[in-house]
Amino acid sequence: MSDRTMTRQVLLFISVLSLSSVHGQVSYSIPEEMAKGSLVGNIAQDLGLDIKRLKSGNARIHVGNSAEYIELNKERGVLLIKERIDREALCRQTTPCALHFQIIMENPIEFYRVTIEIIDINDNAPVFKNNAMKFEISESAVTGAKFVLERAFDSDIGANGLQSYSLNPTEHFILKLQGQADGSKKVEMVLQKPLDREKREQISLVLTALDGGEPQLSGTVQIHVTVLDANDNAPVFTQAIYKASVVENSKRGTLLTTVRATDIDNGSNGLVTYSISSSKVGILDLFQISESNGEVRLIGKVDYETAKHYQIDIEAKDQGGLSDSSKLVVDIVDVNDNNPLIDMMSTSKSIAENSPSHTIIAVMSVHDPDSDNNGVVNCVLSENIPFTIQSTSNGFYSLVTDSDLDRERASEYNISVTCSDEGVPSLSSSVTLSLQISDVNDNAPVFERSSYEAYIIENNTPGLSIFTVKARDADWNQNARVSYILEDSSVNGVPVSSYVSVSADSGVIHAVRSFDYEQIKDFQFRVKAQDGGSPPLSSNVTVKIMIQDQNDNAPQVLYPVQTSSSLVAEMVPRSADVGYLVTKVVAVDVDSGQNAWLSYKLQKATDRALFEVGSQNGEIRTIRQVNDKDAVKQRLTVVVEDNGQPSRSTTVNVNVAVADSFPEVLSEFTDFTHDKEYNDNLTFYLVLALAVVSFLFITCLVVIISVKIYRWRQSRILYHSNLPVIPYYPPRYADTLGTGTLQHVYNYEVCRTTDSRKSDCQFARPCSQNVLIMDPSSTGTMQRIQSEQNILDEPDSQLEVCHI
């Protein structure tokens, strides 16, 4: 093979297409049998691409199901021969012979169509099927008798294919070539000189087939002619051209047609045999003719997609060696026997959920080798998915988005593409593409509730977990990682952070301090949930903390008032009836709820048979008629208890004087504050003795002073007296608050003395006092002291003075 033959001529043209995905097309022409690594063309230059774009776009060659003969050198931007190309093996007699493939690039997805035409070189010599041809020719054969010779076949095409024949020697026969409709030539050996069997019974000839390549190649076959006795009539076909059709994929043995030739000779000279003399490769592997009856049958598998029709040369020969030839044209009828072929050229594994509409996620090619409607293909997608398929050019499709994506609604799609042809019945092929939807931060955290309320018992331990707020984010991974933040605010002028704290990861709310229900009953603040996206999204929720009361305060007695400087006593006349209201114990509890529900009970009493205490209202009443035998001095101990768990209580001592007049009371109550136990006789007598001595001393002192200054200071003695005073609540005194004070009308009498027990008594009837002041040294159990104005300082008080 010469260098001039190996010199390739490249025909290049570039067509920029207006379709969305195919950006260009380029074609090359190269000779077959080029060595590996040979240059095909500078694809980057021809397509106007930058070498960097080839690298960044991961440029590659996509050939589908075909063998790869060409490779792309991205470093140089050129196409090189990867495998030796044999045009005859690739395309046989088909012309033109070309390789079709695509160059695919990503980011963004682009592809270019490339066509490489394979130019034939003269690398195949003409070949005869048989090594020799034998003829038996009657010596009576007339000049001009024709004998059809086996034709040679050459795998090359065009000028490199079979061009001419030569016959040697030419003493008796000459060669005649007759052109046919399909472009081939019928080779006939024509008798130009009568034969004489007696002179020469065997004649040997050499038939040489020549192609038109450089250098010229040839093939030879021996022709052996046996001269027979006279057979002067050759067979004659009934038709010059026979036609038949067969459906592709028909069974072997299918009868195509029957050819017929007649020979008017008698006997063996008129016996005709049939044979196929076609020179095309593969014909004898597909068709067979019966030698005796001319039936042509299918013995191989025909495929419309491989060849749409065949031309078969048929020869009829009699026993005398005379023959005739005819042609059988077999048309192959297409059936829908090919499913559409789907080739995914480029696909995306994932796509962001905020990708714009009409984003390309895959490019594919679809081909159906059938004809007419059998090869018309339509592609559809599975229903209810936000994608559509678009035809970009003949046989090429793009899979694009047609609506907004939402990973929270669907994080993955299995996209099924089904392509069906229009044959009857229709054939289809399917391919499934798995596409992941990648997350973007498009969802803010959402709290489980619109607001929260939590409860905590007062006197809690700092750091105690109160409540947990929870927010969920529909996004994924970092975009769904929620952090909780306590928003700045104040409660009663104090930052809320000094009350509570929030765990950033778990949303647990902790108490920073110990709460006191009596100081703050509830407060609220806002918690922000923020995700980890960029930029982050957040939402807020209001949390209200309710402080629950704990029974941590004992009841406080408001009445009767007891101070360290005076003794409180209540007077009960001896004429009091059953149910007589002596006084009322008024107490409050700063706690709330059942912790503030108070009950009263009588713990101790001088005479338990005389008094009772109302358990709900604290009223002290007589339970029997008061008589003269009852002691003047009565001491009651009342317990005030709340309803908490555990309960708390306070005791109050109530001193009651059973007497009709103040002098009777005064003698009994001087030592009242010194009694510690009513049942302790020893203490009682000691106190009584002390009271008597004190009384006598004070009486003497008062009498002496009174006598000396009686006349000139009588009017002032009343206002400077230091003796105990028994206040008296006026008639019809009513409670004005409704809670914690007297709820009924009570009457009291108050008696006052001057400097001496023998001096005049003064009776006062004030409007706001119900307290009997007995002794400056008296003590009580009150936790809260209420100070009141001394009745002597009231200008409106009415005083009556009596002398004892």
Side-chain angles (χ1 to χ4, degrees):
M1 188 178 298
S2 66
D3 294 337
R4 191 162 60 90
T5 304
M6 291 297 297
T7 302
R8 62 188 178 90
Q9 299 177 351
V10 179
L11 175 63
L12 170 65
F13 66 95
I14 300 176
S15 300
V16 178
L17 303 182
S18 60
L19 301 176
S20 61
S21 295
V22 182
H23 285 68
Q25 176 176 300
V26 62
S27 296
Y28 298 94
S29 295
I30 62 173
E32 64 174 329
E33 303 293 343
M34 290 181 68
K36 292 182 180 180
S38 299
L39 176 66
V40 175
N42 192 325
I43 189 67
Q45 178 181 341
D46 296 337
L47 291 177
L49 298 176
D50 191 351
I51 300 297
K52 295 180 180 179
R53 170 59 180 147
L54 294 178
K55 296 178 181 179
S56 63
N58 191 23
R60 65 185 186 276
I61 291 178
H62 178 81
V63 297
N65 297 326
S66 303
E68 294 187 16
Y69 293 98
I70 306 298
E71 65 179 357
L72 173 64
N73 187 318
K74 291 184 286 187
E75 300 296 328
R76 299 165 52 196
V78 296
L79 297 178
L80 303 176
I81 298 296
K82 183 177 182 180
E83 294 291 340
R84 185 184 65 84
I85 302 174
D86 185 356
R87 192 206 64 80
E88 287 73 28
L90 183 64
C91 300
R92 296 187 178 181
Q93 298 296 310
T94 302
T95 183
C97 180
L99 294 176
H100 301 277
F101 57 88
Q102 296 81 34
I103 293 180
I104 307 295
M105 289 189 293
E106 301 175 350
N107 299 319
I109 295 176
E110 298 176 332
F111 71 96
Y112 301 83
R113 292 191 292 187
V114 179
T115 300
I116 298 180
E117 182 180 0
I118 309 303
I119 305 301
D120 182 51
I121 63 174
N122 193 25
D123 58 342
N124 292 280
V127 177
F128 291 93
K129 181 180 179 181
N130 299 310
N131 294 328
M133 291 183 287
K134 296 181 179 182
F135 292 90
E136 294 180 347
I137 304 174
S138 174
E139 63 179 347
S140 61
V142 297
T143 302
K146 299 177 181 179
F147 304 92
V148 178
L149 302 179
E150 177 188 348
R151 287 182 292 180
F153 63 91
D154 192 335
S155 298
D156 296 324
I157 60 173
N160 295 325
L162 183 62
Q163 297 295 322
S164 62
Y165 294 86
S166 63
L167 185 64
N168 187 43
T170 59
E171 178 182 359
H172 293 282
F173 298 92
I174 62 173
L175 198 61
K176 182 178 181 180
L177 301 179
Q178 182 178 351
Q180 300 187 91
D182 62 352
S184 62
K185 295 180 179 180
K186 182 165 62 173
V187 183
E188 295 177 330
M189 184 175 61
V190 180
L191 183 62
Q192 68 172 354
K193 179 181 179 181
L195 300 175
D196 186 358
R197 188 185 65 83
E198 287 71 19
K199 291 182 177 180
R200 190 173 183 179
E201 186 176 357
Q202 299 290 333
I203 299 175
S204 294
L205 305 172
V206 176
L207 178 62
T208 301
L210 300 171
D211 63 20
E214 291 184 7
Q216 190 176 48
L217 302 179
S218 64
T220 62
V221 64
Q222 292 289 327
I223 301 175
H224 301 284
V225 178
T226 301
V227 180
L228 301 177
D229 285 340
N231 181 25
D232 52 355
N233 290 288
V236 178
F237 279 100
T238 57
Q239 294 179 221
I241 297 177
Y242 293 89
K243 291 186 178 181
S245 64
V246 62
V247 176
E248 66 172 332
N249 297 330
S250 295
K251 295 181 179 180
R252 289 180 174 87
T254 300
L255 177 63
L256 303 181
T257 188
T258 301
V259 298
R260 186 170 180 80
T262 59
D263 192 325
I264 61 175
D265 291 328
N266 292 324
S268 61
N269 291 329
L271 185 61
V272 178
T273 59
Y274 302 92
S275 63
I276 294 176
S277 61
S278 178
S279 62
K280 289 188 178 180
V281 178
I283 291 294
L284 296 178
D285 297 329
L286 298 176
F287 305 99
Q288 184 183 62
I289 189 170
S290 174
E291 291 185 355
S292 58
N293 56 23
E295 291 181 351
V296 180
R297 295 183 180 273
L298 181 68
I299 62 172
K301 183 178 181 181
V302 292
D303 187 359
Y304 176 84
E305 288 71 44
T306 301
K308 297 177 176 57
H309 55 80
Y310 293 91
Q311 293 185 3
I312 306 173
D313 293 324
I314 301 175
E315 180 183 5
K317 182 186 294 184
D318 61 19
Q319 296 300 312
L322 299 179
S323 64
D324 191 15
S325 62
S326 181
K327 184 181 296 293
L328 172 60
V329 178
V330 180
D331 294 323
I332 308 302
V333 180
D334 182 44
V335 296
N336 192 25
D337 59 343
N338 289 278
N339 294 70
L341 302 176
I342 303 176
D343 181 15
M344 301 301 295
M345 298 169 57
S346 181
T347 61
S348 298
K349 298 298 182 182
S350 65
I351 185 174
E353 62 177 322
N354 63 345
S355 297
S357 182
H358 295 92
T359 298
I360 298 176
I361 61 174
V363 176
M364 63 182 182
S365 63
V366 182
H367 173 66
D368 192 324
D370 292 323
S371 64
D372 300 329
N373 289 340
N374 295 334
V376 178
V377 179
N378 297 308
C379 295
V380 296
L381 300 180
S382 51
E383 297 180 354
N384 301 323
I385 58 174
F387 304 97
T388 187
I389 190 169
Q390 297 177 348
S391 177
T392 58
S393 61
N394 186 23
F396 292 92
Y397 295 86
S398 292
L399 191 61
V400 300
T401 60
D402 70 341
S403 63
D404 293 336
L405 303 176
D406 188 357
R407 190 207 65 83
E408 289 70 44
R409 186 174 64 245
S411 62
E412 181 180 6
Y413 289 95
N414 289 321
I415 306 171
S416 179
V417 182
T418 301
C419 296
S420 304
D421 59 29
E422 295 184 2
V424 179
S426 176
L427 299 179
S428 63
S429 297
S430 298
V431 64
T432 300
L433 170 64
S434 180
L435 181 66
Q436 299 288 335
I437 307 301
S438 59
D439 184 50
V440 295
N441 191 26
D442 58 348
N443 289 278
V446 178
F447 283 96
E448 294 177 344
R449 302 180 188 175
S450 58
S451 63
Y452 292 90
E453 285 190 0
Y455 297 86
I456 183 173
I457 300 176
E458 65 172 332
N459 303 319
N460 58 285
T461 302
L464 178 68
S465 173
I466 303 176
F467 191 67
T468 301
V469 294
K470 192 69 176 178
R472 300 185 183 277
D473 196 310
D475 292 320
W476 183 250
N477 288 342
Q478 185 67 26
N479 293 332
R481 186 171 298 170
V482 179
S483 298
Y484 302 92
I485 303 170
L486 181 65
E487 290 193 347
D488 293 335
S489 62
S490 61
V491 177
N492 297 332
V494 178
V496 72
S497 59
S498 64
Y499 285 84
V500 293
S501 65
V502 178
S503 175
D505 296 330
S506 62
V508 177
I509 300 175
H510 297 274
V512 174
R513 63 167 63 177
S514 178
F515 297 108
D516 186 357
Y517 177 81
E518 286 69 43
Q519 293 182 358
I520 182 171
K521 294 179 173 55
D522 61 75
F523 63 94
Q524 66 182 22
F525 53 90
R526 293 179 69 82
V527 176
K528 179 169 71 174
Q530 180 174 288
D531 60 29
S534 180
L537 301 179
S538 63
S539 61
N540 300 310
V541 70
T542 300
V543 180
K544 186 175 183 180
I545 302 297
M546 313 290 290
I547 312 300
Q548 292 183 320
D549 184 45
Q550 194 176 39
N551 193 25
D552 58 344
N553 292 280
Q556 297 179 0
V557 177
L558 302 179
Y559 185 86
V561 178
Q562 296 183 1
T563 66
S564 59
S565 61
S566 64
L567 179 65
V568 179
E570 306 289 347
M571 288 186 64
V572 178
R574 292 186 181 278
S575 61
D577 294 330
V578 176
Y580 179 83
L581 178 62
V582 178
T583 186
K584 179 180 180 181
V585 177
V586 179
V588 295
D589 195 321
V590 296
D591 293 323
S592 66
Q594 66 178 10
N595 294 331
W597 298 349
L598 302 180
S599 61
Y600 306 83
K601 65 180 178 180
L602 185 62
Q603 186 181 48
K604 293 181 182 180
T606 303
D607 187 353
R608 281 185 172 274
L610 182 57
F611 301 101
E612 68 175 359
V613 178
S615 61
Q616 301 299 324
N617 53 24
E619 295 179 350
I620 301 177
R621 294 180 180 271
T622 60
I623 57 177
R624 64 174 174 81
Q625 182 72 40
V626 179
N627 54 47
D628 295 337
K629 297 180 181 180
D630 292 327
V632 176
K633 180 177 63 175
Q634 299 285 338
R635 187 173 189 179
L636 309 178
T637 301
V638 179
V639 177
V640 183
E641 186 178 37
D642 59 29
N643 196 37
Q645 294 295 331
S647 63
R648 293 179 178 267
S649 63
T650 300
T651 60
V652 59
N653 293 326
V654 180
N655 298 313
V656 180
V658 181
D660 294 324
S661 62
F662 175 72
E664 183 181 0
V665 174
L666 187 60
S667 63
E668 296 292 338
F669 278 87
T670 303
D671 61 345
F672 203 56
T673 60
H674 302 286
D675 294 337
K676 300 303 179 182
E677 292 291 338
Y678 296 119
N679 296 329
D680 192 342
N681 293 331
L682 179 60
T683 304
F684 174 77
Y685 289 121
L686 289 174
V687 173
L688 181 60
L690 179 61
V692 171
V693 173
S694 300
F695 177 78
L696 291 176
F697 174 80
I698 295 174
T699 302
C700 293
L701 182 61
V702 171
V703 170
I704 294 173
I705 297 175
S706 299
V707 172
K708 291 183 179 181
I709 62 175
Y710 175 76
R711 294 186 180 275
W712 62 278
R713 295 189 62 188
Q714 182 176 0
S715 60
R716 301 184 62 185
I717 292 174
L718 179 62
Y719 298 97
H720 297 281
S721 175
N722 292 322
L723 294 181
V725 179
I726 303 175
Y728 171 72
Y729 268 45
R732 306 299 296 173
Y733 179 79
D735 180 12
T736 60
L737 299 178
T739 59
T741 60
L742 295 177
Q743 301 179 357
H744 303 283
V745 177
Y746 311 105
N747 297 325
Y748 296 90
E749 292 183 357
V750 180
C751 181
R752 301 181 182 215
T753 65
T754 58
D755 294 337
S756 174
R757 290 188 179 183
K758 295 182 179 181
S759 64
D760 295 338
C761 293
Q762 298 179 355
F763 295 92
R765 300 181 182 274
C767 296
S768 61
Q769 299 294 332
N770 191 28
V771 182
L772 176 62
I773 304 175
M774 297 301 296
D775 194 337
S777 63
S778 64
T779 60
T781 60
M782 289 292 293
Q783 299 175 353
R784 181 178 177 182
I785 300 176
Q786 298 178 344
S787 62
E788 300 181 359
Q789 181 180 3
N790 193 300
I791 192 170
L792 297 177
D793 297 330
E794 296 181 7
D796 296 334
S797 300
Q798 298 179 2
L799 304 177
E800 296 182 7
V801 180
C802 61
H803 299 280
I804 300 177

